[in-house]
Structure formats: C-alpha cells, structure tokens
Amino acid sequence: MSVIKVEDIAHVRFRAPDLDRMAQYLADFGLLPAEARTDRLYVRGRGSAPFVHVTERGEPAFLAVGFRAHSLADLEALSAATGAPVEDHDAPGSGRIVRLKDPDGHGVEVVAGQTPAPEMAIEPPSAWNSAHGRPRQSTVKRISAGSATVMRLGHAVLNVSDFRASEAWYKGLLGFLTSDEIAVAPEFSLGAFLRCDRGDTPTDHHTLFLAQLPTGPGFNHAAFEVQDLDDLMRGHAHLKAAGADPEWGVGRHILGSQVFDYWRDPWGFTLEHWTDGDLLTAADPPRKASIQDLMGVQWGMPMPSTMGG
C-alpha cells in the first residue's frame, strides 16, 4: 500500500542563465507565458494546469519534477511519512507543496490545492479522409504555420542509479503502477514505464519512466502533449525554421504508442512533443518488454546515440 496516489504530473523545474532566451525557445516549442518574475519564468499549456515548466535564473541544471496529489490531506500524509514539511506554494495557482529528494537526489515536488488556470480555446479538429472514410468533402485542408499547440505536460523520464530502489521509492510514496518493465535478462530489468493509479479512470501509459542507464543518474526528458498529428508536424517545421536543435523524430514508439518528436533546449535538455498515446486503467496488468521494444519504433527514424544522455 502506498502512502498516497498522485493523479498526474504537474511540472518540471530547471535552471538557466538567460531567461529571455529560454522564453523564446519555449514560445517556439508551443508553451505560453504564465508568469514572469525577475528570477524565474513560468509557462503553461492550453489546459487547466497553472504552469507546466519553470526556469530559475542560474547555472544550467535540472532541479525537480512535480506531481499533483488529490488533496491537501494527501500532502499531510506524505509529510507524516517523510518528515518533509507542507509549505505554501509560491507559484502560479498557489496551493501547497511538499519537496522531496528521490534516492538519486532528484527533486520531487508534490502539489495540491492549486487554483486551475482557465482552459484556452484551440482549433476544432479537422476531418481526415482515408480508406476508412471520406468525411471531408467540398472542403480543403490548410494547416496554418506556427508553433505546436501544447496542451499539457504528459510525462518525465529520469535516469537512475538503481532501478529497483527508485521503483520502490516512487511506488511506495506516490502509488505508481507498472505499465511495461524493460527486462534485459530474466534476473535484471533496467527500468519501467510507470503510470498513475486512478482506478477505473483511464490514464496515460506512463507519467514517469525510470531508466538505469550507463550514463548514470540525471534528467532524460520531459514530454508535452500536442493537439494532434498535424499540429505536431506544424511544430516540427516551426522549430526547424527557428534553428532549434533536433534530437529524434518524427516517429511512433512501440511502448506507449505515441507519435513523438524530440528537441533540445538551448542548454541541452530534451523536450518532446507527442500525440496519440495509449491509455490504461488500474486493472490493466503490468507487462514485460525488451530493450528492442524500448529503442525501436513502429515507423520513423531509429533512436540516435545521443538520446537519453
């Protein structure tokens, strides 16, 4: 039995020396201003999260991943189990926060009681003609230029030094469930895709992936859901024209099934656009997968050697 069951990922936190440069990159990536302060930059998607990415001024670093708890009572339970205090959350949406460190020292921030942001209008979906049907008739399709339409933060991936120790920590405190475990040998798994336990409510195939890689512990990437495939490809063209640093994509993953597109921010941290991912409930059993499943694609370019470092 876990101490609490988090509902979703909330945000990722970084540090960078130039907030104006980061603001421009994140705008090109498709994120919107939430709040700008002298020493930090908050950005949001089009959904109800008050912010999904925050950058503090300073030397480049990954600082923390945040998760959303169901209630303030969950934060009190987490505080009682860990000794970490429940604090006021000085950020857009306010609320309360518990700040933890996982076994590798990654910052883990659990928030509750935030005031949701107003959801923002997006373009209505455009019909697709295919061999299955041709609903779009007497209408041409024109995709306007611009950045992708980021809706929300979907997941984060952390490199860890001991997968089993990290798995036990995240499951025991935050209630994660295994979707796919990456078995390298019968007696050794290097990681797992973990999802939130929301009972009968479908949730993303993974909210957190823990990977024990030769590069050692650290940040791997954070992934943001966009509107649809056309939107992802529009965003790809926009980032390419803006001179951003591509990492991997476009392709479709095997595990999680997402169509993906990875880019590096100006300080080398990887951010992903994705769409069309799998949804599971708590009743779906965990599965074992191979390293080939992890690194492979259903279509698209193969994984580059730089990915995950």
Side-chain angles (χ1 to χ4, degrees):
M1 176 69 77
S2 61
V3 176
I4 68 170
K5 296 178 180 180
V6 293
E7 291 187 325
D8 205 351
I9 193 168
H11 61 266
V12 283
R13 185 182 300 274
F14 297 90
R15 197 167 56 220
D18 188 336
L19 297 188
D20 290 337
R21 187 179 179 195
M22 180 64 92
Q24 182 59 60
Y25 173 79
L26 294 175
D28 287 333
F29 191 79
L31 290 160
L32 303 172
E35 183 178 315
R37 304 181 184 179
T38 303
D39 61 344
R40 65 191 63 184
L41 169 71
Y42 293 94
V43 294
R44 58 167 292 187
R46 273 70 171 178
S48 62
F51 72 97
V52 295
H53 184 296
V54 55
T55 310
E56 301 178 5
R57 189 184 304 278
E59 289 301 306
F62 166 71
L63 299 179
V65 57
F67 299 102
R68 188 182 75 236
H70 175 69
S71 66
L72 295 175
D74 279 348
L75 296 190
E76 296 292 347
L78 199 57
S79 176
T82 64
V86 180
E87 304 172 289
D88 289 335
H89 192 200
D90 180 21
S94 301
R96 305 273 279 168
I97 186 170
V98 172
R99 304 176 194 271
L100 306 170
K101 294 289 187 181
D102 78 1
D104 284 301
H106 298 126
V108 176
E109 303 176 344
V110 185
V111 300
Q114 290 177 299
T115 300
E119 295 192 17
M120 303 180 71
I122 60 174
E123 295 177 5
S126 175
W128 284 68
N129 288 338
S130 72
H132 300 288
R134 292 172 173 81
R136 184 171 51 81
Q137 299 176 16
S138 301
T139 303
V140 298
K141 177 178 282 195
R142 298 292 183 266
I143 308 302
S144 60
S147 61
T149 308
V150 173
M151 301 303 301
R152 56 185 280 266
L153 174 62
H155 65 262
V157 178
L158 299 177
N159 298 343
V160 299
S161 59
D162 183 332
F163 162 58
R164 289 303 184 195
S166 294
E167 177 192 38
W169 191 89
Y170 281 96
K171 286 185 171 182
L173 284 179
L174 305 183
F176 283 104
L177 301 173
T178 295
S179 296
D180 284 291
E181 183 175 312
I182 313 304
V184 178
E187 70 282 358
F188 177 71
S189 292
L190 65 77
F193 290 92
L194 306 177
R195 69 184 185 276
C196 297
D197 182 352
R198 301 191 66 182
D200 294 334
T201 300
T203 189
D204 293 324
H205 170 270
H206 56 284
T207 299
L208 178 67
F209 179 45
L210 302 173
Q212 184 176 328
L213 301 179
T215 51
F219 175 77
N220 187 301
H221 72 268
F224 297 81
E225 185 176 13
V226 300
Q227 186 172 343
D228 54 27
L229 179 58
D230 275 328
D231 189 65
L232 183 141
M233 296 305 299
R234 171 174 63 183
H236 180 96
H238 182 81
L239 283 165
K240 185 176 180 180
D245 185 13
E247 176 75 6
W248 181 24
V250 173
R252 186 181 283 277
H253 284 304
I254 296 172
L255 303 178
S257 305
Q258 299 95 333
V259 177
F260 63 83
D261 192 24
Y262 295 87
W263 297 79
R264 295 262 183 170
D265 78 9
W267 292 274
F269 296 110
T270 301
L271 303 182
E272 175 191 3
H273 284 150
W274 65 270
T275 188
D276 193 30
D278 295 335
L279 296 172
L280 304 174
T281 70
D284 290 304
R287 298 172 298 188
K288 288 288 183 73
S290 69
I291 188 70
Q292 290 77 22
D293 294 327
L294 174 65
M295 298 177 65
V297 294
Q298 298 189 57
W299 54 259
M301 62 188 297
M303 179 185 287
S305 60
T306 56
M307 185 66 200

